[in-house]
């Protein structure tokens, strides 16, 4: 079994990034003592940008135990033009949520940067201090020799090429189909630990 270790590309998040930090989720009623990590956390390398070969990639975010029932997800291009927005319904349990861009969203353009954001809706409406995170996506050209049938080998190859979003999505799909497969579980944990996300490496998928 080959290790699934992410090799970061030279891609950097745009300078005008609003950042990926979040306020403490305890401001949203999280039971901090009961959670592995108290803050909403994007599953991204430290550069806060990930590459994809997909036209509509899947985004992953860790959401701690919280009183918030919903969150607002939005995607925009580098000029700030909105591409997609939707309200997500949150589980009561902490976990990693998966946000798939639907076919109604225009395909991401190769070589362009897109910023996504997730804002927790703690009360009846959005507030200035609502916990939030954001991250960046850049679509790159796919390699012809990639077989996109989900396997641990594919995830490992994508991670080695620096294709973050698709490597993670491949392992998430495998985790859903084979939740008790130790090889898949270990590969998922290895990938997250390789980008310093050890604190949430063993957190379950929530949706």
């Amino acid at each position: 079994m080959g290790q699934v270790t992410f090799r970061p590309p030279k891609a950097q998040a745009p300078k005008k990034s609003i950042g990926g930090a979040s306020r403490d989720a305890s401001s949203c009623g999280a039971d901090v003592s009961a959670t592995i990590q108290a803050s909403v956390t994007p599953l991204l390398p430290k550069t806060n940008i990930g590459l994809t070969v997909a036209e509509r990639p899947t985004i992953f975010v860790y959401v701690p135990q919280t009183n918030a029932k919903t969150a607002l997800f939005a995607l925009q291009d580098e000029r700030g033009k909105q591409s997609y927005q939707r309200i997500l319904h949150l589980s009561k349990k902490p976990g990693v949520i998966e946000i798939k861009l639907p076919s109604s969203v225009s395909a991401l353009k190769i070589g362009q940067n897109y910023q996504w954001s997730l804002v927790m809706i703690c009360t009846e409406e959005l507030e200035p201090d609502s916990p939030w995170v954001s991250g960046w996506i850049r679509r790159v050209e796919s390699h012809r020799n990639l077989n996109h049938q989900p396997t641990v080998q594919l995830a490992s190859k994508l991670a080695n090429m620096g294709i973050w979003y698709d490597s993670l999505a491949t392992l998430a799909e495998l985790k859903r189909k084979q939740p008790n497969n130790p090889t898949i579980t270990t590969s998922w944990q290895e990938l997250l630990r390789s980008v310093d996300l050890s604190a949430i490496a063993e957190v379950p998928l929530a949706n």
Side-chain angles (χ1 to χ4, degrees):
M1 182 192 76
Q3 263 198 323
V4 182
T5 303
F6 181 69
R7 286 180 184 268
K10 292 180 180 176
Q12 295 291 321
K15 290 271 195 294
K16 63 178 184 179
S17 169
I18 53 173
S22 167
R23 285 178 176 268
D24 196 314
S26 59
S27 61
C28 221
D31 179 0
V32 176
S33 63
T35 59
I36 294 171
Q37 195 157 311
S39 297
V40 187
T41 307
L43 271 61
L44 273 173
K46 283 186 173 180
T47 54
N48 206 39
I49 187 169
L51 302 183
T52 182
V53 297
E55 292 184 346
R56 297 168 188 86
T58 301
I59 292 112
F60 295 86
V61 182
Y62 167 71
V63 177
Q65 191 168 345
T66 172
N67 287 341
K69 295 182 174 65
T70 56
L72 174 67
F73 175 83
L75 178 73
Q76 62 184 32
D77 64 20
E78 202 169 346
R79 292 174 307 221
K81 183 183 176 186
Q82 194 96 327
S83 302
Y84 177 60
Q85 185 172 297
R86 70 176 273 208
I87 296 290
L88 304 173
H89 294 277
L90 303 174
S91 167
K92 291 182 180 177
K93 295 179 180 179
V96 173
I97 64 168
E98 186 174 352
I99 304 150
K100 294 185 176 181
L101 297 182
S103 56
S104 57
V105 176
S106 298
L108 302 190
K109 294 178 180 176
I110 290 173
Q112 292 197 15
N113 296 316
Y114 296 82
Q115 187 172 30
W116 60 264
S117 59
L118 181 81
V119 186
M120 307 284 280
I121 303 175
C122 303
T123 55
E124 294 301 312
E125 56 190 36
L126 284 175
E127 296 178 346
D129 63 346
S130 295
W132 61 274
V133 290
S134 73
W136 289 85
I137 303 169
R138 182 181 301 160
R139 186 181 166 206
V140 294
E141 287 196 51
S142 180
H143 293 248
R144 290 179 183 174
N145 62 346
L146 281 180
N147 175 1
H148 288 279
Q149 284 297 107
T151 62
V152 171
Q153 289 74 21
L154 173 63
S156 181
K157 186 179 285 188
L158 288 165
N160 197 49
M161 292 162 58
I163 311 294
W164 173 257
Y165 284 100
D166 309 350
S167 179
L168 199 62
T170 299
L171 289 176
E173 186 176 344
L174 291 170
K175 267 171 72 73
R176 291 191 189 290
K177 291 177 179 174
Q178 303 176 56
N180 300 316
N181 185 318
T183 300
I184 294 167
T185 300
T186 301
S187 297
W188 172 268
Q189 292 170 357
E190 283 175 352
L191 181 60
L192 292 183
R193 286 174 182 144
S194 72
V195 294
D196 296 327
L197 289 175
S198 300
I200 52 180
E202 296 179 31
V203 170
L205 295 172
N207 61 340

